[in-house]
Amino acid sequence: MRRLVIYDRTCTRGKRGLSPVWAAGTKVYRALRRIDEAHGVSSWSEALGVLAAQREPIREIQYWGHGKWGSALIDTEVFDSAAIETHRPALEAIRERLAPDALLWFRTCETFGAQPGHDFAQRLSDTLGARVAGHTYIVAFHQSGLHGIEPGVRPDWSVDEGLLEGTPAEPRRAKWSRPWHPNTVTALTPAVPRAWFSSARE
């Protein structure tokens, strides 16, 4: 069963130019035998196409890139609740390739934060029929607010978690990850603790 990292290869300029860092990180993960392959992509169509074309069952997918409330980004292209419907055929193909208990982990800023993060997490998990995980804080080496959800389960983390400015319905700024913030891992942490998955059934 395959373990994959998909990362944004377009992020190469300025202070947020992290594609070289992500590319180097995939080499570390491969050396540690935590993943089987990695793909730098420039669009969500390309990313989902790579996953849909896998011939072996997929056990885990990690996405490394930028994110905002209820979304993950490749370049400026947003993958959010609305994009789930746009990409539904590709997501259904990916669902057929997921192993039992497979996981999709967004190692991105704020993707599971505030109300948009709740909505996105639940909709994507139900669409894929798989576990998904993500963060409510801005992430760097430390990655706080890590939560997971299974199909048919409601998010049980606070919509205020990681919120610095704005409201859960209209978030504006997130807090930075710190070692003492809730559910913090580091960039080298290989797995999402089972206890950090929501358990409240719909």
Side-chain angles (χ1 to χ4, degrees), residues 4-90:
L4 301 94
V5 166
I6 304 293
Y7 68 92
D8 181 356
R9 71 165 180 254
T10 72
C11 185
T12 57
R13 297 180 180 179
K15 294 181 180 180
R16 285 166 56 95
L18 294 177
S19 291
V21 176
W22 295 324
T26 66
K27 294 178 181 178
V28 173
Y29 264 54
R30 292 199 73 168
L32 294 172
R33 298 185 178 180
R34 292 178 178 174
I35 60 171
D36 301 300
E37 59 186 273
H39 298 271
V41 297
S42 59
S43 70
W44 280 108
S45 292
E46 182 182 0
L48 299 177
V50 167
L51 298 173
Q54 293 293 309
R55 295 185 177 182
E56 297 181 35
I58 302 170
R59 187 171 89 191
E60 182 174 310
I61 304 159
Q62 293 190 27
Y63 176 65
W64 299 0
H66 294 297
K68 289 300 289 182
W69 317 102
S71 68
L73 306 173
I74 296 179
D75 198 2
T76 58
E77 184 184 358
V78 175
F79 185 67
D80 57 8
S81 292
I84 290 172
E85 296 307 314
T86 302
H87 293 287
R88 184 168 288 275

Side-chain angles (χ1 to χ4, degrees), residues 135-181:
H135 298 266
T136 59
Y137 286 71
I138 298 170
V139 302
F141 178 74
H142 288 101
Q143 302 176 348
S144 299
L146 174 56
H147 299 277
I149 190 171
E150 299 177 354
V153 171
R154 297 189 305 273
D156 63 5
W157 59 93
S158 172
V159 290
D160 293 315
E161 185 179 277
L163 189 63
L164 182 62
E165 291 183 7
T167 66
E170 296 183 357
R172 291 197 298 272
R173 287 182 62 199
K175 299 176 183 177
W176 278 91
S177 295
R178 295 290 184 264
W180 54 86
H181 284 157

Side-chain angles (χ1 to χ4, degrees), residues 88-155:
R88 184 168 288 275
L91 292 170
E92 290 177 352
I94 293 167
R95 178 173 179 153
E96 295 299 315
R97 287 154 178 78
L98 295 177
D101 207 34
L103 172 67
L104 170 55
W105 181 359
F106 291 92
R107 302 190 86 157
T108 52
C109 298
E110 308 158 38
T111 297
F112 277 18
Q115 190 60 53
H118 274 215
D119 296 342
F120 175 70
Q122 188 167 13
R123 182 169 297 185
L124 184 59
S125 180
D126 289 344
T127 298
L128 290 175
R131 300 182 303 148
V132 297
H135 298 266
T136 59
Y137 286 71
I138 298 170
V139 302
F141 178 74
H142 288 101
Q143 302 176 348
S144 299
L146 174 56
H147 299 277
I149 190 171
E150 299 177 354
V153 171
R154 297 189 305 273

